[in-house]
Amino acid sequence: MIALLRHVRIPARYVSGYLFRGSEDHDRSTPDASHAWVEALLPHLGWVGVDPTNNLIAHHRHIRTAVGRDYADVPPTHGIFRGKTASDLYVAVQVEASDEPPPLDRKLPIPEDWSVLVERAQQPPEPAVPFIDLRRCSSSNE
């Protein structure tokens, strides 16, 4: 679907995440498993998500965790593994509906250098290097 959209010059991206399934939903995707869909940039609408697996327009039940050009940009696991070749990876996800945001996790320590990172992020960017027009330089040397 992404290739088709791009072929007709519509910007498209791959979205990875989860799909919340209520008791009355009859989706084709597996409950509590990672899920993916496509977003297309449509004039006057912005990014619109399309879920071809479940024949849905992405909406409040689609929980986005990553966006990329394709699957290779946003795999659920990525990195280097060292260990026994006969190992298993187990993952469990539970998606629940809520009217309020989850409480903050107070158990995670805040790094001591956090304030330094915040200060750097708030500083204005350094001035840009002046642009040199190479065409102008080459025409004056002739």
Side-chain angles (χ1 to χ4, degrees):
M1 181 175 248
I2 290 175
L4 177 64
L5 288 165
R6 290 177 181 164
H7 179 73
V8 294
R9 310 193 67 59
I10 297 174
R13 61 190 183 186
Y14 181 93
V15 184
S16 180
Y18 297 92
L19 179 63
F20 172 73
R21 286 181 68 156
S23 58
E24 297 179 13
D25 298 315
H26 303 287
D27 303 313
R28 293 177 60 196
S29 55
T30 308
D32 299 330
S34 63
H35 186 60
W37 57 95
V38 174
E39 286 185 346
L41 183 59
L42 302 178
H44 309 292
L45 295 176
W47 289 102
V48 176
V50 179
D51 182 351
T53 304
N54 297 299
N55 195 24
L56 296 171
I57 297 295
H59 195 31
H60 64 282
R61 296 194 308 128
H62 290 77
I63 303 164
R64 181 186 322 159
T65 58
V67 175
R69 295 168 293 182
D70 55 30
Y71 175 82
D73 283 348
V74 293
T77 58
H78 181 75
I80 298 171
F81 174 76
R82 289 186 182 192
K84 298 178 182 177
T85 57
S87 63
D88 295 317
L89 174 66
Y90 296 98
V91 178
V93 175
Q94 183 176 352
V95 179
E96 296 178 1
S98 175
D99 293 331
E100 297 180 22
L104 294 175
D105 187 355
R106 303 278 182 199
K107 297 176 185 174
L108 294 175
I110 298 176
E112 291 179 19
D113 59 347
W114 182 258
S115 60
V116 174
L117 296 174
V118 172
E119 275 183 38
R120 286 185 191 162
Q122 292 176 348
Q123 291 176 352
E126 294 183 16
V129 177
F131 177 71
I132 300 172
D133 189 354
L134 296 176
R135 296 173 295 183
R136 197 167 159 200
C137 293
S138 64
S139 62
S140 62
N141 292 337
E142 293 175 0

